[in-house]
């Protein structure tokens, strides 16, 4: 009588083992079909992060490109990834076959910026937030800010008057940050502006650091500063609500947002999106401004044409 249950258990075990073997075999076949590009993955979890940070990242990627070509695999910040170093490959991902790819970021970066930031999402949430941001930063709105933006530019140039050499990209980043604060908050209290700048700089320094919470590391300092940014933004939001200020800046649009179900954004969602927008806009804006300055400097005829256009417009 005891033999039958034993046989049943043995059969169940063998079936489970067979199923696992078939699943493993299918998985191996799939891996063989989906070949990854050449490259090395480095150590488990750490990957090649330490190698990249031990030298100039540009040198690290240039060496990889020279050895493996324009498309290669690696592992950075705990994330296996494929690097693209040619315009054709980038166009394939971003333009012709964008529907095949989903934008993702290392968890450490999501945590630092804020998981509710719109560029970490897809679907309805992303579409609604993106439309809201576009509306709040429309050409009509920006046009009204031109006098204030001009004042920021003049102040930045005056601060450089006595410097013989300056790094253009660093200065345009500072300028982009000031304009970003203006676009998001309007005329913000100087105390809040300085506190935001101080903590944001700490977060930015730790953004590409190795994600370890050991006290004193760039990442740990950045996470502490990120929490402080939440506190500052909550103070600004509370003050805005208390005084019932009627503004037309991005913060006002975020505070007044309601979806089709009447749901508003939480303060955490608002804070994540404000920090996300600052991150998304700063480097790209600074890069564009740096190249514009270079081309205007190198081509005097172009510079004169721009001066004439500006003179005629105003």
């Amino acid at each position: 009588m005891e033999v039958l249950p034993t046989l049943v258990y043995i059969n169940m075990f063998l079936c489970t083992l067979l199923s696992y073997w078939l699943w493993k075999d299918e998985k191996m076949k799939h891996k063989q079909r989906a070949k990854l590009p050449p490259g090395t993955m480095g150590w488990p979890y750490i990957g090649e992060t330490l190698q990249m940070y031990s030298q100039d990242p540009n040198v690290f990627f240039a060496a990889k490109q020279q050895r493996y070509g324009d498309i290669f695999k690696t592992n950075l910040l705990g994330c296996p990834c494929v690097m693209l170093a040619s315009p054709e490959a980038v166009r394939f991902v971003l333009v012709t076959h964008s529907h095949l790819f989903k934008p993702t970021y290392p968890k450490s970066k999501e945590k630092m910026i804020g998981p509710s930031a719109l560029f970490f999402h897809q679907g309805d949430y992303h579409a609604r937030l993106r439309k809201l941001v576009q509306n709040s930063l429309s050409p009509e709105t920006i046009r009204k800010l031109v006098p204030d933006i001009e004042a920021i530019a003049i102040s930045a140039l005056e601060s450089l008057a006595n410097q013989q050499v300056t790094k253009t990209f660093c200065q345009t980043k500072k300028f982009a940050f000031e304009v970003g604060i203006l676009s998001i908050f309007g005329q913000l209290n100087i105390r809040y502006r300085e506190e935001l700048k101080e903590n944001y700089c700490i977060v930015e320094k730790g953004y590409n650091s190795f994600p370890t919470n050991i006290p004193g590391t760039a990442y740990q300092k950045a996470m502490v500063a990120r929490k402080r940014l939440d506190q500052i933004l909550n103070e600004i939001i509370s003050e805005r609500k208390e005084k019932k200020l009627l503004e037309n800046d991005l913060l006002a649009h975020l505070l007044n947002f309601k979806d089709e179900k009447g749901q508003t954004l939480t303060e955490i969602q608002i804070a994540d999106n404000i920090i996300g927008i600052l991150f998304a806009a700063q480097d790209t804006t600074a890069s564009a401004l740096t190249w514009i300055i270079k081309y205007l400097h190198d081509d005097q005829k172009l510079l004169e044409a721009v001066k004439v256009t500006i003179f005629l417009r105003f």
Side-chain angles (χ1 to χ4, degrees):
M1 295 294 293
E2 295 181 359
V3 176
L4 185 59
T6 303
L7 290 174
V8 171
Y9 291 141
I10 292 173
N11 284 332
M12 289 176 62
F13 172 77
L14 291 174
C15 287
T16 304
L17 191 64
L18 180 61
S19 299
Y20 175 78
W21 181 81
L22 291 173
W23 172 80
K24 198 76 174 176
D25 184 62
E26 183 63 27
K27 190 175 180 182
M28 289 300 295
K29 288 180 180 178
H30 178 73
K31 280 188 174 181
Q32 291 173 356
R33 287 196 299 266
K35 286 186 65 176
L36 289 172
T40 55
M41 303 300 285
W43 292 90
Y45 182 66
I46 296 175
E48 299 184 301
T49 307
L50 298 179
Q51 292 168 258
M52 182 182 71
Y53 285 142
S54 65
Q55 57 187 298
D56 186 329
N58 291 325
V59 174
F60 172 82
F61 288 116
K64 290 282 184 182
Q65 184 180 0
Q66 184 176 8
R67 181 174 181 181
Y68 298 114
D70 290 338
I71 303 177
F72 55 89
K73 66 184 177 185
T74 182
N75 186 328
L76 301 172
L77 297 173
C79 294
C81 51
V82 173
M83 307 301 294
L84 308 179
S86 70
E88 293 76 20
V90 173
R91 192 177 296 112
F92 177 87
V93 172
L94 297 179
V95 181
T96 59
H97 290 74
S98 59
H99 61 286
L100 299 177
F101 298 88
K102 177 184 177 182
T104 56
Y105 295 79
K107 288 297 179 183
S108 59
K109 295 183 184 292
E110 286 192 27
K111 190 176 180 181
M112 190 173 294
I113 300 299
S116 296
L118 69 90
F119 51 78
F120 294 139
H121 293 265
Q122 291 180 306
D124 292 340
Y125 178 83
H126 177 273
R128 289 195 297 266
L129 264 295
R130 182 177 178 180
K131 184 177 181 181
L132 182 148
V133 172
Q134 287 176 333
N135 291 339
S136 62
L137 299 176
S138 64
E140 292 76 17
T141 303
I142 298 299
R143 194 173 291 116
K144 294 176 183 178
L145 296 176
V146 167
D148 294 313
I149 295 173
E150 183 182 25
I152 294 172
I154 292 172
S155 176
L157 291 172
E158 288 176 347
S159 69
L160 301 174
N162 297 323
Q163 296 185 24
Q164 293 184 349
V165 179
T166 186
K167 293 182 178 180
T168 306
F169 181 67
C170 292
Q171 297 302 324
T172 53
K173 277 188 72 170
K174 293 178 182 178
F175 173 75
F177 181 82
E178 293 290 345
V179 174
I181 293 294
L182 176 67
S183 303
I184 293 169
F185 303 102
Q187 297 298 334
L188 187 63
N189 180 292
I190 189 169
R191 177 178 71 84
Y192 287 138
R193 193 165 67 244
E194 291 302 317
E195 288 183 358
L196 285 172
K197 186 188 300 182
E198 178 185 349
N199 287 278
Y200 177 86
C201 287
I202 297 172
V203 171
E204 187 181 36
K205 287 178 181 177
Y207 182 67
N208 287 317
S209 62
F210 192 77
T212 174
N213 277 316
I214 298 174
T217 60
Y219 182 79
Q220 187 268 342
K221 290 179 180 178
M223 293 308 300
V224 172
R226 180 63 181 83
K227 290 180 181 178
R228 179 58 187 147
L229 283 174
D230 276 339
Q231 295 171 359
I232 299 167
L233 292 171
N234 286 340
E235 289 178 27
I236 295 172
I237 291 170
S238 297
E239 188 175 297
R240 178 75 67 94
K241 289 179 177 179
E242 183 181 339
K243 294 182 178 180
K244 297 181 179 179
L245 298 173
L246 297 175
E247 304 288 348
N248 193 34
D249 49 38
L250 176 59
L251 177 57
H253 282 76
L254 291 169
L255 288 171
N256 296 328
F257 172 81
K258 287 185 180 180
D259 62 18
E260 62 275 5
K261 296 180 181 178
Q263 295 290 323
T264 59
L265 296 173
T266 66
E267 291 188 0
I268 292 176
Q269 288 175 317
I270 292 174
D272 288 359
N273 279 286
I274 286 174
I275 301 303
I277 289 166
L278 281 173
F279 260 91
Q282 193 182 26
D283 278 4
T284 50
T285 304
S287 296
L289 288 172
T290 301
W291 283 108
I292 289 171
I293 292 170
K294 171 180 168 51
Y295 288 135
L296 290 176
H297 174 271
D298 293 348
D299 192 332
Q300 290 299 308
K301 289 184 179 179
L302 178 61
L303 177 60
E304 292 303 319
V306 170
K307 288 181 179 178
V308 170
T309 303
I310 294 174
F311 177 77
L312 293 175
R313 181 169 295 181
F314 293 98

